[in-house]
Amino acid sequence: MELLILNGLANGLIVGGIYALVGVSLTLLYGVLRVVNFAHGEFVIAGSFFAFVLFSTLKIPPLLAVPLAAVAFFAAGWLLYYVLIPRLARSDDPELMSFLMFYGVSIAAAALMLLLFEADSRSIDFTFTPISVQIGPIYISTARLVALAITIVISIALALFLFRTLPGKALRAAIMNPEAIQIMGVDIVRLSAFAFALASSLAGVTGVLVALVFPAFNPFSGAEYTIIAFIVVVLGGLGNPVGALLAGVVFGLAEQMATVFLPQALAQIVGFVILVGTIFLRPSGLLGTRFRR
Amino acid sequence: MASPSRAADSADRIYFTLVALIGGALLAYFAAVPVLGLNVAFHFYLMLWITMASAFNVASGFAGYMPFGYVAFYGVGAFTTAILVKKAAFPLFLALPLSGVAGLVLALLFAPTLRLSGIYFGIVSLALAGICRLAITNMPEEITGGSFGLQLGSRAQPLQSFYVMMAVMVLALATILWLSRSRLGKALRATRDDAEAADMMGVNVPLVRLYGWLISAFFPAVCGGVEAWYTNVVDTETAFNTLITAKTVIYAVAGGLGTVTGPIIGAVAMVWLDELIWRQFPLLNLLILGVATVILVLFLPRGIVGTVLRRKPHWRRYVP
Amino acid sequence: MSAIEARGLTKRFGGLVALDGVDLRAGPGETLGIIGVNGAGKTTLMNCICGLYRPDAGDVLVGGERVTGQPPHVIAHHGVGRTFQVPRVFRKMSLIDNLLVPVLDRPASDSELIGRAEAMLERMQLIELRHNYAEELSGGQQKLLEMARMLMPDPAIVMLDEPFAGVHPVLCKFMIERIEETARAGKVVLLISHDLTSIYRLSSRVMALNQGRVIAEGGVDDIRGNPAVIEAYLGT
């Protein structure tokens, strides 16, 4: 039992790191643009397929796929922003319409991946040597440890970026008060495009990590990650990047512990219950500081 | 000054003439489908989607909610009929209304979510639909048939279920037509536009919203039941498929939320388009559905009817 | 008996005391002007009276009946109507439907209510636009629409929040006449404004708020020369 719990904790931390990244990118996007990317999970899975294709055709290892995905998805996000968002802003209720539009994007993205890769579950059969590492009494696969390390590096880099650099501070300011920042002379359109690109880039990288950590993925896995992203974002407080990082880890731990202690059927419901419970009991999230709308 | 009221009377006359004409044509057409040897399955689903999109419109267009887990009502309705018929040997014509009741009960359970607004409501609705699906999936196999689902086992009666679907559609459209002119409908629209202001103007906001929510939940549940009967089989994968929500939302938005005719026209146009595309490019179906949604939101956010009425504001009084 | 009475109304937002033991009473036909700088607590007072905010302490009585803590729609049915500083019309509803919202639960027939709504729009010179959506009106017209909507159920107490803010002078004059009519019809008028000229013209009595407290109350002439009011307005 103790071993199970330790395993659960370790896996919770690793999975939680991924959830944190899934959530932080979505929350950044919502914070700056006030759009809800329903297709976020599909973006992530697209990252997984990106790594899959790189490995299966060009033999590029997943580690190298991380920076490549970052660049490719950043560019794709930048482009997608200018195609989708400016028109959206002119509708009556941009927030809700964005939800609807990305609903369409998510269907289209899943369908596209289905056309390209078919419905079968894929995995990357890349292995590290050694395959696993012993830490105390438990064994953890090297791939998962590498993923955890990358998650931590990205999180720290992101935090430094948001709190130490000028563009990062501009992003945070835009989250807190979108009207004021325009008066301050910041080009909100470029900043938004950047936020969208950054969020897409993070989603793509997360997808590569998903391919490392989880046994398999298919075109329909996206929906699960969208839900996970919602859970993390709500738990962390809408538009709060630090909250999302924390919430991702908390949710990862909760989910993995649930699989230890609860029958599998109930463990699946845990996420939904956390989501609904948070919105009703603590709508401003774990940290309790709701960013001003 | 008497002229305004007289003008209103003539507007009413045009309105009711239009209702009678459109309604009559719709009724005659659908009633004649089996007689004329047209594709019964296609028209069965057309009526199903008209009903779904119209009922969804009550929650979205009238009350201002976006229930992204709308499929929950449909799925629960489907399973209610299937379980009652298969396991409790209920006659179908008792099971179908009870599916509607199941929808109402579920709507009452979800009623606390009406406190939420905007994306919070949408996300919670989505999560609740997920919980419903998991709950039914994990019920004992003796009740829900597990992953194989339930076979109703009754002899399929496509013609009978076709006309029952038609009756459900007529009932739904009549209800929504009444709602659009009723005081409840005005109260609902007021809460949609500004709930706090409506409250201060004497509208019992939670109650009004609950009524709208119940209407919106009843019909998809019945639709689920009728479809279960029509196809003779129910399983969680199809009964809780998120594509059901997606199609409902897209069809309603395509036509235009907030009008009675919007979702009807949207469903007719999109189901027809869907069929056309599906026949030509079966693989591209889903992709095109997604792209169509994006294009709709970007270029026709008010839908077909909504866009026309924006160009011709004075038509609003005549168009149901 | 006062038509409207507030006793010791207190409302706190976190650490901020927005209202601090405010007493208020007014009777039929009386126009009570409520003045004060931004943040003095004027709108908070109105929101507490109509039930939008639940006061932390104190009571609201309408026609002698305690309504504290009741939801806004119940208080509205006691005969309390209001307008808003920034108009809050029902944007995607016709002007007629906007006016019908406050009288939806009346037993009168639809055609009777529509007739009344049309008469009211006539009075507000909006009749030509009756089938337009409210969002298609100008800001000033939306203020008139709000006033019409407020008067539809024939409330005993009407509360006007900055009715003249951002309104064209010609329209201002029109609105002032409508407010005077309303008071003559025997209603209690609570009038919020930071514009002293219009307040002094319309009010039979004036109450000055500063930092959530009543700092002066009395006839227009008492308030006009009151040093505390001058101090609050000019500040230090």
Side-chain angles (χ1 to χ4, degrees), chain B residues 277-311:
Chain B
I277 294 165
W278 190 81
R279 216 179 284 162
Q280 302 293 323
F281 322 96
L283 280 174
L284 289 181
N285 186 35
L286 205 56
L287 179 63
I288 291 175
L289 188 70
V291 173
T293 311
V294 176
I295 291 174
L296 270 175
V297 172
L298 290 183
F299 296 97
L300 213 62
R302 288 178 193 85
I304 300 166
V305 176
T307 307
V308 171
L309 291 185
R310 191 168 177 84
R311 298 262 163 79

Side-chain angles (χ1 to χ4, degrees), chain B residues 1 3-5 7-8 181-187 189-206 302 309-310 313 316-317, chain C residues 50 52 72-73 76-77 80 82 84 88-93 97 100-106 108-110 113 118 122 127 130-133 135-136 149:
Chain B
M1 196 168 132
S3 67
S5 337
R181 294 187 51 105
S182 70
R183 297 189 181 191
L184 175 61
K186 290 189 193 359
R189 287 193 169 111
T191 62
R192 171 201 65 194
D193 283 358
D194 190 334
E196 264 181 16
D199 198 352
M200 286 181 270
M201 297 305 134
V203 176
N204 188 340
V205 176
R302 288 178 193 85
L309 291 185
R310 191 168 177 84
R316 279 182 206 135
R317 293 155 62 204
Chain C
C50 77
L52 186 60
H73 63 91
H77 289 153
V80 179
R82 71 170 292 184
F84 303 90
R88 292 176 76 167
V89 295
F90 302 121
R91 298 167 47 83
K92 298 229 177 280
M93 295 174 76
D97 283 352
L100 293 182
V101 170
V103 290
L104 287 174
D105 53 354
R106 298 294 159 101
S109 72
D110 283 7
L113 290 177
E118 283 176 341
E122 184 89 53
I127 190 72
R130 63 191 177 279
H131 296 300
N132 282 68
Y133 275 178
E135 66 179 356
E136 291 154 3
R149 183 179 66 180

Side-chain angles (χ1 to χ4, degrees), chain A residues 81-283:
Chain A
Y81 173 87
Y82 282 103
V83 174
L84 297 179
I85 307 293
R87 271 202 85 88
L88 193 67
R90 274 181 267 160
S91 72
D92 285 345
D93 186 349
E95 197 172 281
L96 218 54
M97 284 322 243
S98 76
F99 206 51
L100 206 58
M101 185 190 72
F102 280 109
Y103 200 28
V105 174
S106 105
I107 296 172
L112 197 63
M113 288 191 282
L114 190 66
L115 282 177
L116 293 174
F117 305 105
E118 293 163 351
D120 310 331
S121 286
R122 306 284 170 156
S123 55
I124 300 179
D125 45 8
F126 176 84
T127 42
F128 290 90
T129 36
I131 279 189
S132 59
V133 179
Q134 185 178 16
I135 301 174
I138 54 172
Y139 286 91
I140 301 173
S141 79
T142 316
R144 289 199 150 201
L145 281 180
V146 170
L148 180 64
I150 298 174
T151 318
I152 292 171
V153 169
I154 293 175
S155 304
I156 292 173
L158 191 67
L160 285 176
F161 168 73
L162 284 175
F163 287 89
R164 289 290 161 81
T165 69
L166 213 55
K169 285 178 183 172
L171 274 186
R172 278 172 47 236
I175 292 174
M176 284 181 254
N177 195 337
E179 283 89 29
I181 188 154
Q182 289 178 69
I183 300 167
M184 308 292 281
V186 174
D187 182 350
I188 190 77
V189 175
R190 276 196 59 184
L191 192 71
S192 300
F194 174 72
F196 198 101
L198 181 66
S200 306
S201 171
L202 280 170
V205 170
T206 314
V208 179
L209 300 181
V210 164
L212 273 181
V213 165
F214 294 102
F217 49 88
N218 68 56
F220 296 116
S221 311
E224 289 165 40
Y225 287 95
T226 301
I227 292 280
I228 288 168
F230 283 159
I231 296 169
V232 172
V233 164
V234 165
L235 196 58
L238 229 54
N240 183 344
V242 181
L245 285 176
L246 184 71
V249 177
V250 169
F251 176 54
L253 285 170
E255 191 202 59
Q256 294 299 315
M257 289 328 261
T259 57
V260 174
F261 288 107
L262 298 175
Q264 207 216 333
L266 282 176
Q268 276 185 305
I269 296 186
V270 165
F272 290 124
V273 172
I274 290 179
L275 179 58
V276 176
T278 312
I279 289 185
F280 274 100
L281 303 176
R282 205 168 164 78

Side-chain angles (χ1 to χ4, degrees), chain B residues 229-315:
Chain B
W229 175 33
Y230 183 76
T231 56
N232 232 332
V233 64
V234 176
D235 65 87
T236 43
E237 275 303 305
T238 45
F240 286 93
N241 195 329
T242 45
L243 266 181
I244 292 172
T245 308
K247 288 187 171 180
T248 306
V249 175
I250 293 162
Y251 298 168
V253 172
L257 298 176
T259 58
V260 182
T261 40
I264 302 176
I265 292 178
V268 171
M270 297 292 286
V271 170
W272 176 75
L273 197 71
D274 199 47
E275 174 80 4
L276 206 69
I277 294 165
W278 190 81
R279 216 179 284 162
Q280 302 293 323
F281 322 96
L283 280 174
L284 289 181
N285 186 35
L286 205 56
L287 179 63
I288 291 175
L289 188 70
V291 173
T293 311
V294 176
I295 291 174
L296 270 175
V297 172
L298 290 183
F299 296 97
L300 213 62
R302 288 178 193 85
I304 300 166
V305 176
T307 307
V308 171
L309 291 185
R310 191 168 177 84
R311 298 262 163 79
K312 307 268 181 201
H314 49 280
W315 287 9

